[in-house]
Amino acid sequence: MLHSSKKHRRFNIIKLHPAHILLFGFSGLIFIGTCLLMIPAATRDRHHLSLIDALFESTSAVCVTGLGVVDTGTTFTLFGQIVLLILIQLGGWGFMTSSILMFIIIGKRIGLKQRLLLQESLNTFSVQGVIKLVQQIIIITLIIETIGAVALAIRWSQEMSWGKSVYYGIFHSISAFNNAGFGLEPDSLSKWVGDPTINLTITMLFMLGGIGFFVITDIYEQKKLKIKRLSLHTKITLLFTLLLNVVSTIIIFGLEFNNSATLGTLDIVDKWWAAYFQGVVPRTAGFNTVDISQLTLSSQVFMMGLMFIGAASGSTGGGIKVTTFALLLFALWAVITNKEDISIFKRRIPKSQVFRALSIAVSGVIFIFIILFLLTITEKGADMSKIVFETVSAFGTVGLSAGFTGDLSPIGRILITIMMLVGRIGPLTMAFAIAIHSNDKSKIRYAEEKILIG
Protein backbone atom coordinates (compact mmCIF):
# COMPACT_ATOMS: atom_id res chain seq x y z
CA MET A 1 0.00 0.00 0.00
CA LEU A 2 2.85 2.35 0.89
CA HIS A 3 4.64 1.45 -2.35
CA SER A 4 1.50 2.30 -4.32
CA SER A 5 1.17 5.66 -2.55
CA LYS A 6 4.78 6.59 -3.35
CA LYS A 7 4.28 5.56 -6.94
CA HIS A 8 1.13 7.70 -7.16
CA ARG A 9 2.91 10.74 -5.76
CA ARG A 10 5.79 10.24 -8.21
CA PHE A 11 3.31 9.97 -11.05
CA ASN A 12 1.64 13.26 -10.03
CA ILE A 13 4.98 15.05 -9.93
CA ILE A 14 5.86 13.82 -13.40
CA LYS A 15 2.45 14.93 -14.66
CA LEU A 16 2.96 18.49 -13.44
CA HIS A 17 2.56 21.04 -16.21
CA PRO A 18 5.93 22.55 -17.25
CA ALA A 19 4.57 25.97 -16.22
CA HIS A 20 4.17 24.68 -12.65
CA ILE A 21 7.73 23.37 -12.55
CA LEU A 22 9.12 26.66 -13.86
CA LEU A 23 7.06 28.61 -11.32
CA PHE A 24 8.13 26.36 -8.44
CA GLY A 25 11.75 26.47 -9.62
CA PHE A 26 11.97 30.25 -9.72
CA SER A 27 10.06 30.49 -6.45
CA GLY A 28 12.50 28.08 -4.81
CA LEU A 29 15.47 30.12 -5.98
CA ILE A 30 13.80 33.29 -4.70
CA PHE A 31 13.18 31.62 -1.32
CA ILE A 32 16.85 30.63 -0.97
CA GLY A 33 17.94 34.15 -1.92
CA THR A 34 15.51 35.65 0.60
CA CYS A 35 16.95 33.53 3.40
CA LEU A 36 20.54 34.47 2.49
CA LEU A 37 19.76 38.19 2.29
CA MET A 38 18.14 38.07 5.73
CA ILE A 39 21.41 36.91 7.31
CA PRO A 40 22.89 39.80 9.34
CA ALA A 41 26.23 39.36 7.51
CA ALA A 42 24.49 40.40 4.28
CA THR A 43 23.91 44.00 5.42
CA ARG A 44 26.42 46.62 6.52
CA ASP A 45 24.61 47.55 9.74
CA ARG A 46 24.45 43.83 10.67
CA HIS A 47 20.70 44.11 11.15
CA HIS A 48 18.93 41.72 8.82
CA LEU A 49 16.43 42.93 6.25
CA SER A 50 12.78 42.40 6.96
CA LEU A 51 11.19 39.39 5.31
CA ILE A 52 9.28 41.52 2.80
CA ASP A 53 12.33 43.62 1.84
CA ALA A 54 14.56 40.55 1.49
CA LEU A 55 11.86 38.85 -0.60
CA PHE A 56 11.58 41.93 -2.81
CA GLU A 57 15.35 42.20 -3.37
CA SER A 58 15.72 38.46 -4.00
CA THR A 59 12.84 38.45 -6.49
CA SER A 60 14.24 41.50 -8.24
CA ALA A 61 17.62 39.75 -8.61
CA VAL A 62 16.27 36.34 -9.70
CA CYS A 63 13.84 37.98 -12.11
CA VAL A 64 16.70 40.23 -13.33
CA THR A 65 14.61 43.35 -12.76
CA GLY A 66 16.71 45.80 -10.76
CA LEU A 67 13.98 47.45 -8.69
CA GLY A 68 15.10 47.89 -5.12
CA VAL A 69 13.64 49.05 -1.84
CA VAL A 70 17.16 49.62 -0.47
CA ASP A 71 20.35 50.95 -2.05
CA THR A 72 22.56 48.06 -3.17
CA GLY A 73 25.93 49.73 -2.68
CA THR A 74 25.34 51.18 0.79
CA THR A 75 23.03 48.54 2.27
CA PHE A 76 24.69 45.23 1.39
CA THR A 77 28.09 43.93 2.42
CA LEU A 78 30.39 42.17 -0.04
CA PHE A 79 28.66 38.91 0.94
CA GLY A 80 25.22 40.36 0.28
CA GLN A 81 26.29 41.80 -3.06
CA ILE A 82 27.81 38.47 -4.14
CA VAL A 83 24.54 36.73 -3.21
CA LEU A 84 22.73 39.22 -5.46
CA LEU A 85 25.21 38.57 -8.28
CA ILE A 86 24.71 34.80 -8.05
CA LEU A 87 20.94 35.24 -8.04
CA ILE A 88 21.19 37.55 -11.06
CA GLN A 89 23.35 35.08 -12.98
CA LEU A 90 21.14 32.09 -12.21
CA GLY A 91 18.01 34.12 -12.87
CA GLY A 92 19.41 35.39 -16.17
CA TRP A 93 20.15 31.86 -17.32
CA GLY A 94 16.77 30.68 -16.12
CA PHE A 95 15.86 27.95 -13.65
CA MET A 96 16.09 25.05 -16.08
CA THR A 97 19.33 26.21 -17.72
CA SER A 98 20.92 26.57 -14.29
CA SER A 99 19.63 23.13 -13.30
CA ILE A 100 21.00 21.51 -16.47
CA LEU A 101 24.35 23.16 -15.77
CA MET A 102 24.41 21.49 -12.35
CA PHE A 103 23.52 18.14 -13.97
CA ILE A 104 26.42 18.56 -16.39
CA ILE A 105 28.86 19.47 -13.60
CA ILE A 106 27.98 16.47 -11.41
CA GLY A 107 27.79 14.16 -14.43
CA LYS A 108 24.12 13.25 -14.01
CA ARG A 109 22.26 11.89 -17.02
CA ILE A 110 19.81 14.35 -18.57
CA GLY A 111 16.62 12.54 -19.49
CA LEU A 112 13.76 13.33 -21.84
CA LYS A 113 11.72 14.98 -19.07
CA GLN A 114 14.51 17.47 -18.33
CA ARG A 115 14.93 18.15 -22.04
CA LEU A 116 11.21 18.82 -22.45
CA LEU A 117 11.24 21.21 -19.50
CA LEU A 118 14.30 22.93 -20.93
CA GLN A 119 12.51 23.29 -24.25
CA GLU A 120 9.59 24.98 -22.47
CA SER A 121 11.93 27.21 -20.46
CA LEU A 122 13.97 28.31 -23.48
CA ASN A 123 10.86 28.54 -25.69
CA THR A 124 12.45 26.46 -28.47
CA PHE A 125 10.61 24.54 -31.19
CA SER A 126 12.00 21.08 -30.33
CA VAL A 127 14.12 19.21 -27.79
CA GLN A 128 16.77 18.49 -30.38
CA GLY A 129 20.01 20.26 -29.55
CA VAL A 130 18.80 21.87 -26.30
CA ILE A 131 21.73 20.52 -24.27
CA LYS A 132 24.18 21.89 -26.82
CA LEU A 133 22.31 25.20 -26.64
CA VAL A 134 22.71 25.28 -22.85
CA GLN A 135 26.46 24.73 -23.21
CA GLN A 136 26.61 27.54 -25.76
CA ILE A 137 24.61 29.82 -23.45
CA ILE A 138 27.07 29.26 -20.60
CA ILE A 139 30.14 29.82 -22.79
CA ILE A 140 28.68 32.90 -24.51
CA THR A 141 27.68 34.41 -21.17
CA LEU A 142 31.11 33.96 -19.59
CA ILE A 143 32.96 35.31 -22.64
CA ILE A 144 30.79 38.43 -23.04
CA GLU A 145 30.70 39.17 -19.30
CA THR A 146 34.49 38.82 -19.07
CA ILE A 147 35.08 41.19 -21.99
CA GLY A 148 32.62 43.68 -20.49
CA ALA A 149 34.18 43.44 -17.04
CA VAL A 150 37.68 44.06 -18.42
CA ALA A 151 36.54 47.10 -20.44
CA LEU A 152 34.71 48.61 -17.46
CA ALA A 153 37.55 47.85 -15.03
CA ILE A 154 40.10 49.59 -17.27
CA ARG A 155 37.85 52.65 -17.53
CA TRP A 156 37.06 52.82 -13.81
CA SER A 157 40.71 52.28 -12.86
CA GLN A 158 41.23 55.90 -13.92
CA GLU A 159 39.25 57.09 -10.91
CA MET A 160 39.26 54.11 -8.50
CA SER A 161 41.78 51.70 -7.05
CA TRP A 162 42.45 48.62 -9.20
CA GLY A 163 40.71 46.32 -6.73
CA LYS A 164 37.58 48.46 -6.61
CA SER A 165 37.53 49.04 -10.38
CA VAL A 166 37.81 45.29 -11.07
CA TYR A 167 34.95 44.55 -8.68
CA TYR A 168 32.83 47.36 -10.16
CA GLY A 169 33.57 45.99 -13.63
CA ILE A 170 32.55 42.43 -12.73
CA PHE A 171 29.41 43.49 -10.86
CA HIS A 172 28.11 45.85 -13.55
CA SER A 173 29.05 43.51 -16.40
CA ILE A 174 27.05 40.61 -14.93
CA SER A 175 24.19 42.92 -14.01
CA ALA A 176 24.14 44.52 -17.48
CA PHE A 177 24.39 41.35 -19.60
CA ASN A 178 21.61 39.72 -17.57
CA ASN A 179 19.52 42.89 -17.94
CA ALA A 180 19.25 43.22 -14.16
CA GLY A 181 20.01 46.92 -13.78
CA PHE A 182 21.52 46.61 -10.29
CA GLY A 183 24.28 49.17 -9.69
CA LEU A 184 26.62 50.06 -6.85
CA GLU A 185 26.05 53.82 -6.98
CA PRO A 186 22.92 55.45 -5.48
CA ASP A 187 22.25 57.34 -8.73
CA SER A 188 23.03 54.34 -10.97
CA LEU A 189 25.33 55.56 -13.79
CA SER A 190 24.43 59.26 -13.69
CA LYS A 191 28.04 60.21 -12.89
CA TRP A 192 29.05 58.99 -16.33
CA VAL A 193 26.17 60.43 -18.36
CA GLY A 194 28.47 61.56 -21.18
CA ASP A 195 31.19 58.92 -20.87
CA PRO A 196 31.50 57.02 -24.20
CA THR A 197 33.20 53.95 -22.70
CA ILE A 198 30.63 53.44 -19.92
CA ASN A 199 27.68 54.18 -22.21
CA LEU A 200 28.80 51.91 -25.03
CA THR A 201 30.01 49.03 -22.85
CA ILE A 202 26.90 48.89 -20.65
CA THR A 203 24.48 49.25 -23.57
CA MET A 204 26.31 46.65 -25.68
CA LEU A 205 26.17 44.23 -22.74
CA PHE A 206 22.45 44.55 -22.09
CA MET A 207 21.59 44.66 -25.80
CA LEU A 208 23.52 41.43 -26.40
CA GLY A 209 21.70 39.87 -23.46
CA GLY A 210 18.45 41.35 -24.73
CA ILE A 211 18.56 40.01 -28.29
CA GLY A 212 18.75 36.47 -26.93
CA PHE A 213 21.08 33.50 -27.13
CA PHE A 214 19.36 32.11 -30.24
CA VAL A 215 20.24 35.21 -32.23
CA ILE A 216 23.85 35.23 -31.00
CA THR A 217 24.38 31.54 -31.81
CA ASP A 218 22.61 31.89 -35.16
CA ILE A 219 24.96 34.70 -36.18
CA TYR A 220 28.02 32.90 -34.79
CA GLU A 221 27.28 29.66 -36.65
CA GLN A 222 27.17 31.45 -39.99
CA LYS A 223 30.50 30.89 -41.74
CA LYS A 224 29.86 34.08 -43.67
CA LEU A 225 27.37 36.56 -42.30
CA LYS A 226 24.71 36.47 -45.00
CA ILE A 227 21.34 37.93 -44.12
CA LYS A 228 19.51 35.38 -46.27
CA ARG A 229 20.89 32.46 -44.24
CA LEU A 230 19.78 33.85 -40.89
CA SER A 231 16.63 32.43 -39.33
CA LEU A 232 13.40 34.41 -39.54
CA HIS A 233 13.50 34.87 -35.77
CA THR A 234 16.96 36.44 -35.98
CA LYS A 235 15.98 38.74 -38.84
CA ILE A 236 12.88 40.04 -37.06
CA THR A 237 14.69 40.45 -33.73
CA LEU A 238 17.60 42.41 -35.24
CA LEU A 239 15.38 44.55 -37.48
CA PHE A 240 12.90 45.59 -34.79
CA THR A 241 15.62 46.02 -32.15
CA LEU A 242 17.44 48.42 -34.45
CA LEU A 243 14.24 50.28 -35.39
CA LEU A 244 13.07 50.63 -31.80
CA ASN A 245 16.49 51.76 -30.58
CA VAL A 246 16.90 54.42 -33.27
CA VAL A 247 13.35 55.73 -32.97
CA SER A 248 13.39 55.77 -29.15
CA THR A 249 16.74 57.63 -29.05
CA ILE A 250 15.40 60.35 -31.34
CA ILE A 251 12.10 60.64 -29.44
CA ILE A 252 13.76 60.88 -26.01
CA PHE A 253 16.19 63.47 -27.41
CA GLY A 254 13.32 65.59 -28.68
CA LEU A 255 11.09 65.25 -25.61
CA GLU A 256 13.85 65.98 -23.08
CA PHE A 257 15.95 68.49 -25.04
CA ASN A 258 14.83 71.52 -23.01
CA ASN A 259 14.12 69.72 -19.72
CA SER A 260 16.60 71.33 -17.31
CA ALA A 261 16.20 68.40 -14.88
CA THR A 262 17.43 65.84 -17.44
CA LEU A 263 19.04 66.78 -20.78
CA GLY A 264 18.52 70.53 -20.73
CA THR A 265 21.78 71.52 -18.97
CA LEU A 266 24.01 69.10 -20.93
CA ASP A 267 26.03 70.05 -24.01
CA ILE A 268 24.87 68.71 -27.36
CA VAL A 269 27.17 65.65 -27.33
CA ASP A 270 26.14 64.61 -23.83
CA LYS A 271 22.49 65.18 -24.75
CA TRP A 272 22.83 62.54 -27.48
CA TRP A 273 24.64 60.13 -25.16
CA ALA A 274 21.92 60.53 -22.51
CA ALA A 275 19.12 60.23 -25.09
CA TYR A 276 20.75 57.14 -26.58
CA PHE A 277 21.21 55.47 -23.20
CA GLN A 278 17.70 56.20 -21.93
CA GLY A 279 16.24 55.37 -25.33
CA VAL A 280 17.66 51.84 -25.50
CA VAL A 281 17.49 50.92 -21.80
CA PRO A 282 13.69 50.73 -21.21
CA ARG A 283 13.16 47.50 -23.16
CA THR A 284 15.79 45.61 -21.21
CA ALA A 285 17.84 46.85 -18.25
CA GLY A 286 17.12 49.28 -15.43
CA PHE A 287 20.23 51.46 -15.47
CA ASN A 288 19.87 55.20 -15.87
CA THR A 289 22.14 58.17 -16.55
CA VAL A 290 19.46 60.81 -15.81
CA ASP A 291 16.88 61.06 -13.05
CA ILE A 292 13.89 59.04 -14.26
CA SER A 293 11.55 60.80 -11.84
CA GLN A 294 12.35 64.12 -13.56
CA LEU A 295 11.50 62.96 -17.07
CA THR A 296 8.52 64.59 -18.74
CA LEU A 297 5.27 62.68 -18.49
CA SER A 298 5.33 62.07 -22.24
CA SER A 299 8.78 60.46 -21.97
CA GLN A 300 7.61 58.24 -19.13
CA VAL A 301 4.54 57.13 -21.10
CA PHE A 302 6.72 56.38 -24.13
CA MET A 303 9.11 54.37 -21.93
CA MET A 304 6.19 52.37 -20.56
CA GLY A 305 5.39 51.29 -24.09
CA LEU A 306 9.00 50.19 -24.62
CA MET A 307 9.02 48.33 -21.28
CA PHE A 308 5.83 46.48 -22.22
CA ILE A 309 7.38 45.36 -25.53
CA GLY A 310 10.55 44.19 -23.80
CA ALA A 311 13.50 42.27 -25.19
CA ALA A 312 13.73 39.22 -27.46
CA SER A 313 12.50 35.69 -26.86
CA GLY A 314 15.10 33.44 -25.27
CA SER A 315 16.89 36.43 -23.76
CA THR A 316 17.53 37.69 -20.24
CA GLY A 317 14.95 40.47 -20.70
CA GLY A 318 11.22 40.59 -20.03
CA GLY A 319 8.11 42.11 -21.59
CA ILE A 320 5.87 40.46 -24.20
CA LYS A 321 9.03 40.22 -26.39
CA VAL A 322 9.92 42.16 -29.51
CA THR A 323 9.04 39.26 -31.84
CA THR A 324 5.56 39.08 -30.29
CA PHE A 325 5.12 42.80 -30.89
CA ALA A 326 6.36 42.47 -34.47
CA LEU A 327 4.04 39.55 -35.19
CA LEU A 328 1.04 41.47 -33.87
CA LEU A 329 1.91 44.41 -36.14
CA PHE A 330 2.19 42.13 -39.18
CA ALA A 331 -1.09 40.44 -38.24
CA LEU A 332 -2.78 43.83 -37.97
CA TRP A 333 -1.43 44.81 -41.37
CA ALA A 334 -2.71 41.55 -42.85
CA VAL A 335 -6.21 42.29 -41.52
CA ILE A 336 -6.12 45.89 -42.76
CA THR A 337 -4.97 44.83 -46.24
CA ASN A 338 -7.42 41.91 -46.29
CA LYS A 339 -4.72 39.26 -46.68
CA GLU A 340 -5.37 35.64 -45.75
CA ASP A 341 -1.78 34.84 -44.77
CA ILE A 342 0.74 36.69 -42.61
CA SER A 343 4.01 36.83 -44.54
CA ILE A 344 7.35 38.16 -43.28
CA PHE A 345 10.52 38.11 -45.38
CA LYS A 346 8.84 35.74 -47.84
CA ARG A 347 7.88 33.32 -45.08
CA ARG A 348 4.32 32.49 -43.98
CA ILE A 349 3.67 32.55 -40.23
CA PRO A 350 1.41 29.80 -38.79
CA LYS A 351 -1.83 31.21 -37.40
CA SER A 352 -1.23 29.23 -34.20
CA GLN A 353 1.72 31.54 -33.48
CA VAL A 354 -0.46 34.60 -34.08
CA PHE A 355 -2.96 33.30 -31.52
CA ARG A 356 -0.12 32.66 -29.07
CA ALA A 357 1.31 36.16 -29.61
CA LEU A 358 -2.12 37.68 -29.05
CA SER A 359 -2.60 35.54 -25.91
CA ILE A 360 0.75 36.72 -24.51
CA ALA A 361 -0.08 40.39 -25.11
CA VAL A 362 -3.61 40.14 -23.71
CA SER A 363 -2.55 38.15 -20.65
CA GLY A 364 0.18 40.73 -20.04
CA VAL A 365 -2.35 43.56 -20.14
CA ILE A 366 -4.66 41.64 -17.78
CA PHE A 367 -1.92 40.99 -15.22
CA ILE A 368 -0.81 44.64 -15.35
CA PHE A 369 -4.40 45.83 -14.90
CA ILE A 370 -5.00 43.53 -11.91
CA ILE A 371 -1.79 44.56 -10.10
CA LEU A 372 -2.36 48.21 -10.98
CA PHE A 373 -5.90 48.08 -9.65
CA LEU A 374 -4.75 46.51 -6.38
CA LEU A 375 -1.94 49.08 -6.03
CA THR A 376 -4.45 51.94 -6.31
CA ILE A 377 -6.13 50.43 -3.24
CA THR A 378 -2.96 49.83 -1.19
CA GLU A 379 -1.05 52.98 -2.20
CA LYS A 380 -3.69 55.60 -1.43
CA GLY A 381 -2.63 59.15 -2.24
CA ALA A 382 0.23 58.06 -4.49
CA ASP A 383 0.81 59.63 -7.89
CA MET A 384 -1.06 57.52 -10.46
CA SER A 385 1.64 57.96 -13.10
CA LYS A 386 4.27 56.58 -10.70
CA ILE A 387 2.13 53.57 -9.85
CA VAL A 388 1.62 52.75 -13.53
CA PHE A 389 5.32 53.25 -14.32
CA GLU A 390 6.37 50.99 -11.44
CA THR A 391 3.91 48.26 -12.46
CA VAL A 392 4.94 48.22 -16.12
CA SER A 393 8.62 48.33 -15.16
CA ALA A 394 8.15 45.29 -12.94
CA PHE A 395 6.24 43.45 -15.68
CA GLY A 396 8.98 44.17 -18.22
CA THR A 397 11.62 43.19 -15.61
CA VAL A 398 13.27 46.49 -16.54
CA GLY A 399 13.91 47.99 -13.13
CA LEU A 400 13.52 51.66 -14.00
CA SER A 401 11.75 53.58 -11.26
CA ALA A 402 10.28 57.04 -10.99
CA GLY A 403 11.44 57.16 -7.36
CA PHE A 404 8.43 55.29 -5.99
CA THR A 405 9.83 51.87 -5.09
CA GLY A 406 11.01 52.84 -1.61
CA ASP A 407 7.62 54.42 -0.83
CA LEU A 408 5.65 51.25 -1.50
CA SER A 409 3.65 49.85 1.41
CA PRO A 410 4.40 46.27 2.55
CA ILE A 411 1.42 44.96 0.57
CA GLY A 412 2.45 47.09 -2.40
CA ARG A 413 5.93 45.54 -2.30
CA ILE A 414 4.40 42.07 -2.36
CA LEU A 415 2.26 43.03 -5.37
CA ILE A 416 5.27 44.34 -7.27
CA THR A 417 7.14 41.17 -6.28
CA ILE A 418 4.37 39.10 -7.90
CA MET A 419 4.50 41.34 -10.97
CA MET A 420 8.25 40.79 -11.35
CA LEU A 421 7.78 37.01 -11.17
CA VAL A 422 5.01 37.17 -13.79
CA GLY A 423 7.26 39.22 -16.04
CA ARG A 424 10.19 36.82 -15.69
CA ILE A 425 8.46 33.52 -16.40
CA GLY A 426 6.07 35.15 -18.87
CA PRO A 427 2.40 36.14 -18.52
CA LEU A 428 1.16 33.19 -20.57
CA THR A 429 3.27 30.71 -18.61
CA MET A 430 1.96 32.20 -15.37
CA ALA A 431 -1.59 31.90 -16.72
CA PHE A 432 -0.91 28.21 -17.50
CA ALA A 433 0.45 27.73 -13.99
CA ILE A 434 -2.61 29.14 -12.21
CA ALA A 435 -5.22 27.76 -14.60
CA ILE A 436 -7.17 24.57 -13.93
CA HIS A 437 -6.12 22.11 -16.62
CA SER A 438 -8.78 19.74 -17.84
CA ASN A 439 -8.04 16.14 -18.75
CA ASP A 440 -10.87 16.17 -21.27
CA LYS A 441 -9.46 14.87 -24.57
CA SER A 442 -12.77 15.13 -26.40
CA LYS A 443 -12.51 15.65 -30.16
CA ILE A 444 -15.96 17.22 -30.38
CA ARG A 445 -16.14 20.35 -32.55
CA TYR A 446 -19.29 22.45 -32.21
CA ALA A 447 -21.16 24.26 -34.94
CA GLU A 448 -19.62 27.55 -36.02
CA GLU A 449 -21.43 30.86 -35.49
CA LYS A 450 -20.12 34.39 -35.91
CA ILE A 451 -20.47 37.26 -33.46
CA LEU A 452 -20.23 41.01 -34.01
CA ILE A 453 -16.80 42.44 -33.20
CA GLY A 454 -15.12 45.81 -33.61
Side-chain angles (χ1 to χ4, degrees):
M1 187 72 178
L2 182 61
H3 174 74
S4 176
S5 177
K6 287 182 178 179
K7 184 178 180 180
H8 181 68
R9 287 198 300 270
R10 191 182 301 117
F11 176 79
N12 285 337
I13 292 173
I14 293 174
K15 286 296 184 180
L16 279 175
H17 192 281
H20 294 136
I21 297 176
L22 291 177
L23 177 59
F24 296 153
F26 273 104
S27 299
L29 189 56
I30 289 169
F31 172 76
I32 294 172
T34 301
C35 294
L36 291 174
L37 292 178
M38 288 183 68
I39 297 174
T43 50
R44 293 184 184 277
D45 61 5
R46 301 297 174 179
H47 293 292
H48 67 78
L49 294 178
S50 67
L51 174 60
I52 292 178
D53 288 351
L55 175 64
F56 191 99
E57 294 290 324
S58 178
T59 305
S60 185
V62 172
C63 297
V64 288
T65 305
L67 289 173
V69 290
V70 296
D71 178 61
T72 304
T74 57
T75 301
F76 295 105
T77 59
L78 179 61
F79 169 76
Q81 291 172 10
I82 290 176
V83 169
L84 285 176
L85 272 187
I86 294 173
L87 294 176
I88 289 169
Q89 189 68 84
L90 296 178
W93 280 335
F95 166 69
M96 281 310 302
T97 301
S98 302
S99 300
I100 295 299
L101 174 62
M102 292 302 299
F103 281 15
I104 294 174
I105 291 174
I106 65 178
K108 185 175 180 180
R109 181 178 176 275
I110 302 169
L112 179 60
K113 179 187 174 185
Q114 286 78 26
R115 293 170 190 265
L116 289 170
L117 288 171
L118 188 59
Q119 177 195 354
E120 177 77 14
S121 176
L122 295 175
N123 198 24
T124 60
F125 298 120
S126 70
V127 297
Q128 184 177 0
V130 290
I131 303 303
K132 180 184 176 182
L133 178 60
V134 168
Q135 295 170 338
Q136 291 175 333
I137 288 174
I138 304 302
I139 294 172
I140 289 170
T141 299
L142 295 179
I143 291 174
I144 294 177
E145 287 178 352
T146 299
I147 295 173
V150 170
L152 291 172
I154 292 174
R155 167 60 188 85
W156 274 322
S157 67
Q158 299 174 12
E159 55 189 82
M160 304 176 186
S161 66
W162 260 108
K164 186 176 181 180
S165 65
V166 169
Y167 177 65
Y168 261 56
I170 293 172
F171 189 97
H172 286 85
S173 181
I174 293 175
S175 180
F177 181 72
N178 289 284
N179 285 251
F182 278 92
L184 296 175
E185 295 290 328
D187 56 355
S188 190
L189 300 174
S190 297
K191 290 181 181 179
W192 303 283
V193 61
D195 190 292
T197 303
I198 301 296
N199 276 269
L200 285 175
T201 304
I202 293 293
T203 54
M204 286 300 105
L205 283 168
F206 66 64
M207 280 194 282
L208 284 172
I211 62 175
F213 297 107
F214 306 111
V215 175
I216 296 174
T217 55
D218 189 20
I219 295 174
Y220 176 77
E221 289 174 356
Q222 301 293 329
K223 293 181 179 179
K224 292 182 179 180
L225 185 56
K226 293 184 177 180
I227 302 298
K228 291 182 179 180
R229 293 184 178 179
L230 295 174
S231 68
L232 182 59
H233 170 79
T234 298
K235 291 177 184 177
I236 294 175
T237 299
L238 293 178
L239 174 62
F240 274 80
T241 296
L242 177 62
L243 286 175
L244 287 171
N245 286 348
V246 171
V247 171
S248 58
T249 298
I250 295 172
I251 289 178
I252 294 298
F253 181 83
L255 293 175
E256 298 297 321
F257 188 87
N258 293 317
N259 185 354
S260 59
T262 54
L263 273 61
T265 58
L266 303 175
D267 61 47
I268 190 64
V269 175
D270 287 355
K271 284 181 192 291
W272 276 114
W273 277 120
Y276 159 71
F277 194 93
Q278 294 308 149
V280 301
V281 81
R283 291 191 307 104
T284 49
F287 295 104
N288 61 278
T289 55
V290 297
D291 189 349
I292 300 299
S293 65
Q294 297 301 314
L295 291 171
T296 60
L297 182 59
S298 53
S299 292
Q300 292 184 13
V301 171
F302 178 69
M303 282 187 173
M304 281 187 254
L306 295 175
M307 291 190 290
F308 181 76
I309 294 171
S313 297
S315 73
T316 57
I320 63 170
K321 303 298 186 291
V322 67
T323 42
T324 303
F325 173 70
L327 185 51
L328 291 176
L329 288 183
F330 283 114
L332 176 62
W333 180 249
V335 172
I336 293 173
T337 56
N338 198 30
K339 291 182 179 179
E340 182 68 23
D341 295 326
I342 300 170
S343 301
I344 309 173
F345 293 117
K346 298 182 179 180
R347 291 292 186 271
R348 180 168 49 86
I349 304 296
K351 290 185 178 179
S352 60
Q353 284 204 303
V354 179
F355 285 128
R356 184 175 178 85
L358 184 60
S359 299
I360 290 171
V362 172
S363 59
V365 171
I366 291 173
F367 276 114
I368 289 174
F369 176 80
I370 292 172
I371 297 297
L372 178 60
F373 171 71
L374 294 175
L375 284 172
T376 58
I377 298 174
T378 63
E379 314 304 306
K380 295 185 183 298
D383 189 334
M384 183 64 179
S385 64
K386 290 185 177 181
I387 297 177
V388 178
F389 194 91
E390 202 83 8
T391 305
V392 178
S393 179
F395 170 78
T397 67
V398 177
L400 290 176
S401 175
F404 183 59
T405 311
D407 298 328
L408 286 166
S409 66
I411 298 178
R413 297 182 185 193
I414 293 175
L415 291 173
I416 292 296
T417 297
I418 295 172
M419 190 80 270
M420 289 189 287
L421 183 58
V422 170
R424 182 62 185 98
I425 69 173
L428 194 57
T429 302
M430 178 63 83
F432 280 139
I434 62 179
I436 300 174
H437 298 282
S438 172
N439 293 321
D440 183 13
K441 302 296 183 180
S442 174
K443 300 296 183 180
I444 296 175
R445 297 186 69 191
Y446 296 100
E448 183 180 273
E449 183 176 352
K450 294 181 179 180
I451 61 173
L452 296 175
I453 56 176

